[in-house]
Amino acid sequence: MGDRLRAGARDRWVRMRTELGDGEGRVGMLRRHRVVIAELFGEHSWVTVIAEDWPARDGAAGWTAVHLPEAEPWRPIESEDAGGAGVAADLFVAEVGATTLDDLLGLALDGRALFVLADPERRRLYAPYDLGADVFFVDEGERAAFRARHADWLSLRAGGL
């Protein structure tokens, strides 16, 4: 989901890699996610999840019902790619604690869930995916500080992708 958000926030966005070459594997990838989430959101006991799920007519629908049963429908996403069919996906919102968050991060690593995490004030966003995350900061200064702390975790590609 972060790929759609970064167009309007390039000065506050950074892409973080979680793939590791040092044998840490999945545990190391989850650790990186948790380190950044702790930096972004502090010691909050919960975070807001904005989850994308496909409409019922799509065979991929339903991950939110299974993994975020407390999620409430928020809004549809209309897409030109839907071939004129209108709604391409639905967004759901839920507040989750650490245990559910770990489960969701595992789903993101497996490429089975699309979601964005937000702090209670909705000022910082974290959009994990199978090989990393798109991170959105309050301002350029916060972004620069993150880049300095985690230079070895950033994308090596030009433009940050």
Side-chain angles (χ1 to χ4, degrees):
M1 289 178 63
D3 59 331
R4 291 191 298 265
L5 297 171
R6 73 173 176 261
R10 284 217 176 261
D11 60 334
R12 295 177 290 120
W13 162 82
V14 69
R15 177 160 282 177
M16 178 191 90
R17 298 178 293 116
T18 55
E19 70 271 19
L20 305 170
D22 57 8
E24 286 186 75
R26 187 177 184 88
V27 171
M29 294 168 79
L30 285 169
R31 183 186 55 76
R32 280 193 184 185
H33 281 302
R34 291 305 258 151
V35 164
V36 176
I37 289 168
E39 287 181 17
L40 287 175
F41 306 143
E43 297 302 318
H44 295 292
S45 60
W46 55 270
V47 295
T48 299
V49 177
I50 303 167
E52 181 177 325
D53 203 353
W54 309 114
R57 68 179 182 278
D58 187 311
W63 81 265
T64 53
V66 174
H67 299 284
L68 279 175
E70 67 278 11
E72 297 181 14
W74 181 36
R75 64 185 337 167
I77 300 174
E78 296 192 19
S79 172
E80 296 173 14
D81 297 338
V87 175
D90 292 316
L91 293 178
F92 297 84
V93 177
E95 293 175 357
V96 302
T99 302
T100 300
L101 183 55
D102 286 342
D103 293 341
L104 292 176
L105 290 171
L107 290 171
L109 287 175
D110 294 339
R112 296 176 37 217
L114 295 173
F115 59 91
V116 173
L117 303 175
D119 65 333
E121 296 80 28
R122 315 276 190 297
R123 294 170 38 103
R124 293 168 188 88
L125 302 174
Y126 188 79
Y129 61 96
D130 56 351
L131 295 176
D134 290 314
V135 188
F136 299 87
F137 301 93
V138 172
D139 56 38
E140 292 179 50
E142 207 174 75
R143 175 184 179 237
F146 177 87
R147 290 178 63 84
R149 277 192 313 276
H150 300 294
D152 57 331
W153 291 4
L154 303 180
S155 173
L156 301 175
R157 292 180 162 178
L161 294 176

